[in-house]
Amino acid sequence: MTLESIVLNNLRRRKGRMVFLVAGLLIGVATVVTLISLSNALTADVQHKMEHYGANILITPRSDDLSLSYGGITLGGVSVDSREIRQADLAQIMTIPNSRNIAAVAPKVLGAVEIGSERVLLMGVEVDKEFQLKKWWSVQGEPVTDDGQIVAGQSVATALGLQVGDELVLRDRPFRVSGILNKTGSQDDHLLIASLPVVQQLLGKPGTVSLVEVAALCGDCPVTDMVNQISTALPGVDVSAIQQVVKTRMHALDQFRSFSLAIAAVVILIGALVVFVTMMSAVNERTREIGIFRALGFRRGHVMRLILLESSLLSLLAGILGFFVGMGATRIILPLMSETHVALHWSPMLASLAVLLALVVGCLASFYPALHASRLDPTEALRAL
């Protein structure tokens, strides 16, 4: 009779204890798998959104603001030099070392226009780039396709009573409202959007732009380095990265990950205690059996191997089942934690980690019971027969 056959026969005889031990360790492993897979899926979702929408860099003209004291009154932030960005200079952006990370350069020109009694903001854009960059824009009607069309933000359309197909006159030039932006909750709701060359002509700003948006379509682009490189290439502008929303979400995910690890550690500790108590109880119940083994010539090492092999088999089963239970729980919970559909990836590495974690915890928790069993005095054990 081999040690393996003894272990298997013992597990078949004590099914209740086996189920209890596997369940205790399975819950711990499933919790770890659930928390890790949730964290990974949500992090991948944020990175996907960064790649989809871009890590935006904003380029604005540099202005000199001075504090002025006049007549005993301090006037702060008086702009004494208002500048525009020369459109021809934007070609320098594509000469920076990280130009391969740049997906789009979208210049804009801005100016106020009066329509009846309303004063609204008109924005000229390079239509193909702008509507490609702003993937979250949803237009009732169609985007601007020629110089005679204009798209109105939701708030402007409401204020002016505009509908798709209406005619609109700006500084004696007629436009047709080709579309109306659905509400975005941002400054876009307050804009009239038309072709860049047309708006430059209307505002008297030929060859200049008011600001430029640069999109880098990658989750791990060196945005800070790109900001510095663009500042060097265009010394007369201010360059800043718009990453607050992404950084806030990533910080929240980091906190969730830390909290998850803490919870997982507690659950694994409880699972280890369950294994320890169960194995100690099993050793005490099998005192006579162990005494017989020792009397038949089993060494201490054989007894330890007997206990550890039993716990290893149960831990292996708990690790495999725990992985599948954890991934199933993730599939149920993930839609509740994300407003968009997030793909769940079955990671072989996570499966290996789950099995390895179960084996390590199970064997460590069973080591002292196995050591205790190996130290049983065979004469004392046989005296109870």
Side-chain angles (χ1 to χ4, degrees), residues 88-255:
D89 294 339
L90 300 183
Q92 298 297 320
I93 296 175
M94 300 307 298
T95 65
I96 66 173
N98 284 101
S99 61
R100 64 185 181 280
N101 296 131
I102 295 177
V105 177
K108 302 168 180 60
V109 64
L110 296 166
V113 293
E114 292 185 358
I115 303 175
S117 60
E118 296 289 338
R119 187 174 174 84
V120 299
L121 195 60
L122 177 64
M123 182 172 75
V125 300
E126 291 187 354
V127 179
D128 294 339
K129 292 181 180 179
E130 193 70 23
F131 283 87
Q132 179 67 24
L133 179 66
K134 302 294 178 61
K135 297 180 184 295
W136 59 91
W137 277 3
S138 175
V139 181
Q140 301 174 28
E142 61 180 18
V144 174
T145 56
D146 60 54
D147 292 347
Q149 294 181 339
I150 198 167
V151 168
Q154 185 68 240
S155 298
V156 174
T158 302
L160 300 178
L162 297 176
Q163 299 292 333
V164 176
D166 287 352
E167 294 293 329
L168 187 64
V169 178
L170 300 177
R171 297 187 179 179
D172 299 327
R173 178 160 183 162
F175 290 89
R176 186 179 71 86
V177 179
S178 64
I180 296 176
L181 281 181
N182 289 323
K183 191 174 183 62
T184 64
S186 68
Q187 72 280 355
D188 299 335
D189 296 334
H190 306 278
L191 297 174
L192 290 174
I193 304 168
S195 175
L196 179 63
V198 173
V199 177
Q200 286 175 327
Q201 183 181 356
L202 283 177
L203 299 178
K205 299 179 179 180
T208 63
V209 295
S210 304
L211 57 92
V212 182
E213 195 173 19
V214 178
L217 298 189
C218 55
D220 55 352
C221 288
V223 177
T224 303
D225 293 341
M226 294 173 67
V227 168
N228 295 331
Q229 292 167 12
I230 294 174
S231 298
T232 302
L234 300 174
V237 300
D238 289 326
V239 186
S240 57
I242 307 175
Q243 294 179 293
Q244 291 86 349
V245 174
V246 174
K247 287 184 177 179
T248 300
R249 186 71 181 271
M250 292 301 290
H251 177 67
L253 286 175
D254 287 339
Q255 289 183 324

Side-chain angles (χ1 to χ4, degrees), residues 217-377:
L217 298 189
C218 55
D220 55 352
C221 288
V223 177
T224 303
D225 293 341
M226 294 173 67
V227 168
N228 295 331
Q229 292 167 12
I230 294 174
S231 298
T232 302
L234 300 174
V237 300
D238 289 326
V239 186
S240 57
I242 307 175
Q243 294 179 293
Q244 291 86 349
V245 174
V246 174
K247 287 184 177 179
T248 300
R249 186 71 181 271
M250 292 301 290
H251 177 67
L253 286 175
D254 287 339
Q255 289 183 324
F256 174 75
R257 187 179 292 108
S258 300
F259 176 75
S260 299
L261 292 176
I263 294 296
V266 173
V267 175
I268 285 294
L269 178 60
I270 294 173
L273 290 176
V274 169
V275 174
F276 174 80
V277 172
T278 304
M279 295 307 294
M280 280 297 295
S281 174
V283 168
N284 292 332
E285 291 175 1
R286 298 166 62 186
T287 300
R288 299 179 185 178
E289 180 182 334
I290 293 171
I292 294 174
F293 289 151
R294 291 297 309 279
L296 293 175
F298 277 52
R299 298 177 181 176
R300 288 185 174 182
H302 292 144
V303 176
M304 287 193 67
R305 284 175 56 192
L306 190 68
I307 303 299
L308 291 177
L309 182 58
E310 181 177 327
S311 66
S312 297
L313 290 176
L314 296 179
S315 299
L316 179 63
L317 178 61
I320 295 173
L321 294 178
F323 172 74
F324 287 105
V325 171
M327 294 302 292
T330 302
R331 182 179 290 275
I332 295 173
I333 297 172
L334 193 55
L336 305 178
M337 300 186 66
S338 178
E339 64 277 7
T340 58
H341 176 72
V342 181
L344 179 62
H345 298 286
W346 293 73
S347 170
M349 184 176 295
L350 183 58
S352 302
L353 176 64
V355 173
L356 180 62
L357 179 64
L359 286 172
V360 171
V361 171
C363 290
L364 287 178
S366 302
F367 182 78
Y368 179 77
L371 185 63
H372 176 71
S374 68
R375 291 177 175 175
L376 288 176
D377 188 350

